[in-house]
C-alpha cells in the first residue's frame, strides 16, 4: 500500500480534531472508531473480508503500513474469523496517540505543549494545514448534499463518523440536524463500513453479546421446562483496562 493516500484512521482522526483547541471530539468512542477504521482500510486493501458478523483474513501479506500490518498480524494469529464487535471492543491502548504521532511525523499536525491546572503536562495537536481537513469534510458534504452514492471509502468514513458521534461536531445545532440524519443514512452504501460502524455502536451500547442463534430445525420439539440448555454463555466484550496516573496527558 503506498503512502500517497491517507488511510481511513488518519482521516477519521483529522475529522475529529478541533482546529482551534487542538483537542479531539468524542475521545472515548473515537478510540473504537480508529480500531474499526483499521478493519475497513484492511478490507479496502483486500487483506480481510466480512464473514457474516465476523472478520476473516483472506490475504495476510503486509500492506506496508506498520500500524495496519500490526492489526493484520493480530487478526491472522487468531486462526479463525473474529467477531467485529469483539475485535473493536478489545483493549486498544495508545492507538489514538499512535496516529497523532504519525500525523505529526507527516507534518499534518504539530504538538503544542501545555499544562492542565498549571501542574500536569499536556499535549495538544494543531493542524498545520487545515485545507486537508476541509477536503475530507467536503467529501462528506458532497455525499450529503447531492444524494449520489459515494465511493466505498467516503461511505465508510461517513459510517464511522456517525458511529463515533462526530455528527454534532461536524454539523452542529438545529441547522445541522438534516445533515446529521443524512450522514447516518450513508452507512448503507458500504457493507464493510456498515458492519464495522454497527459494531462500534454495539460496543458503546453494551450490546456485544452472542450473535443471534439460528432457528431450530423443522420438526424438532422445543425443550421442555426441565430440559437443560446447551447454549453457551454469552461472551462479553473485553473490558477496557483502567488507566493509572499519567505523567503526561494527551489532550482529548
Amino acid at each position: 500500500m503506498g503512502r500517497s493516500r491517507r488511510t481511513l484512521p488518519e482521516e477519521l482522526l483529522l475529522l475529529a480534531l478541533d482546529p482551534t483547541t487542538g483537542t479531539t471530539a468524542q475521545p472515548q468512542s473515537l478510540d473504537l472508531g480508529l480500531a474499526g477504521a483499521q478493519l475497513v482500510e484492511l478490507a479496502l486493501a483486500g487483506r480481510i473480508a466480512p464473514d457474516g458478523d465476523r472478520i476473516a483474513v483472506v490475504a495476510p501479506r503486509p500492506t506496508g503500513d506498520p500500524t495496519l500490518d500490526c492489526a493484520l498480524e493480530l487478526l491472522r494469529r487468531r486462526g479463525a474469523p473474529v467477531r467485529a464487535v469483539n475485535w473493536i471492543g478489545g483493549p486498544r491502548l495508545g492507538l489514538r496517540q499512535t496516529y497523532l504521532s504519525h500525523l505529526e511525523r507527516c507534518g499534518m499536525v504539530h504538538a503544542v505543549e501545555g499544562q492542565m491546572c498549571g501542574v500536569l503536562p499536556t499535549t495538544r495537536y494543531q493542524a498545520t494545514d487545515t485545507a486537508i481537513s476541509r477536503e475530507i469534510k467536503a467529501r462528506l458534504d458532497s455525499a450529503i448534499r447531492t444524494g449520489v452514492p459515494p465511493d466505498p471509502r467516503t461511505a465508510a468514513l461517513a459510517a464511522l463518523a456517525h458511529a463515533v458521534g462526530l455528527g454534532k461536531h461536524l454539523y452542529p445545532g438545529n441547522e445541522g440536524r438534516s445533515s446529521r440524519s443524512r450522514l447516518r443514512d450513508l452507512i448503507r452504501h458500504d457493507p464493510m463500513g456498515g458492519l464495522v460502524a454497527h459494531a462500534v455502536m454495539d460496543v458503546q451500547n453494551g450490546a456485544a453479546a452472542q450473535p443471534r442463534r439460528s432457528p431450530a430445525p423443522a420438526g424438532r420439539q422445543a425443550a421442555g421446562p426441565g430440559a437443560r440448555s446447551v447454549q453457551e454463555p454469552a461472551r462479553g466484550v473485553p473490558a477496557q483496562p483502567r488507566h493509572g496516573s499519567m505523567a503526561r496527558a494527551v489532550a482529548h
Side-chain angles (χ1 to χ4, degrees):
M1 175 185 295
R3 296 303 299 141
S4 60
R5 183 171 60 185
R6 294 179 299 270
T7 65
L8 275 173
E10 294 163 10
E11 292 195 327
L12 183 65
L13 186 51
L14 286 170
L15 274 181
L17 191 63
D18 190 303
T20 303
T21 65
T23 60
T24 53
Q26 305 292 346
Q28 286 76 31
S29 56
L30 182 61
D31 291 339
L32 301 176
L34 291 173
Q38 287 185 316
L39 293 181
V40 179
E41 190 65 48
L42 287 170
L44 290 171
R47 302 311 196 266
I48 64 175
D51 182 5
D53 68 342
R54 297 176 183 267
I55 304 298
V57 175
V58 295
R61 67 184 184 278
T63 65
D65 181 298
T67 308
L68 290 176
D69 288 342
C70 179
L72 179 61
E73 176 62 14
L74 290 174
L75 286 167
R76 186 193 66 80
R77 289 179 184 177
R78 295 292 184 95
V82 58
R83 290 185 69 207
V85 71
N86 286 347
W87 172 263
I88 290 170
R92 291 292 178 271
L93 291 178
L95 188 57
R96 182 159 28 110
Q97 182 58 52
T98 295
Y99 277 107
L100 283 170
S101 298
H102 170 73
L103 292 176
E104 184 180 18
R105 289 193 300 272
C106 293
M108 286 188 274
V109 302
H110 69 276
V112 178
E113 307 298 332
Q115 287 186 329
M116 181 183 298
C117 301
V119 179
L120 186 64
T122 63
T123 304
R124 298 175 184 269
Y125 290 86
Q126 298 285 352
T128 57
D129 185 358
T130 56
I132 297 175
S133 298
R134 290 198 300 269
E135 180 273 325
I136 296 170
K137 184 173 180 292
R139 285 163 39 208
L140 298 184
D141 292 342
S142 177
I144 287 173
R145 183 179 62 256
T146 65
V148 176
D151 62 276
R153 180 173 294 273
T154 301
L157 181 62
L160 288 163
H162 167 70
V164 303
L166 289 184
K168 291 183 178 180
H169 169 71
L170 299 171
Y171 306 103
N174 288 332
E175 64 275 15
R177 183 177 300 173
S178 61
S179 293
R180 294 196 298 270
S181 178
R182 288 193 289 271
L183 180 71
R184 178 196 62 216
D185 292 342
L186 291 176
I187 199 170
R188 70 182 187 274
H189 289 294
D190 179 62
M192 185 66 181
L195 167 65
V196 169
H198 281 110
V200 169
M201 291 185 285
D202 282 346
V203 173
Q204 294 180 85
N205 295 331
Q210 286 280 16
R212 297 175 183 174
R213 291 188 299 168
S214 300
R220 182 175 177 179
Q221 294 183 348
R228 184 177 179 180
S229 172
V230 295
Q231 182 182 5
E232 293 181 3
R235 294 170 56 194
V237 175
Q240 297 284 356
R242 293 180 179 271
H243 295 277
S245 299
M246 297 178 62
R248 183 183 183 84
V250 176
H252 298 309

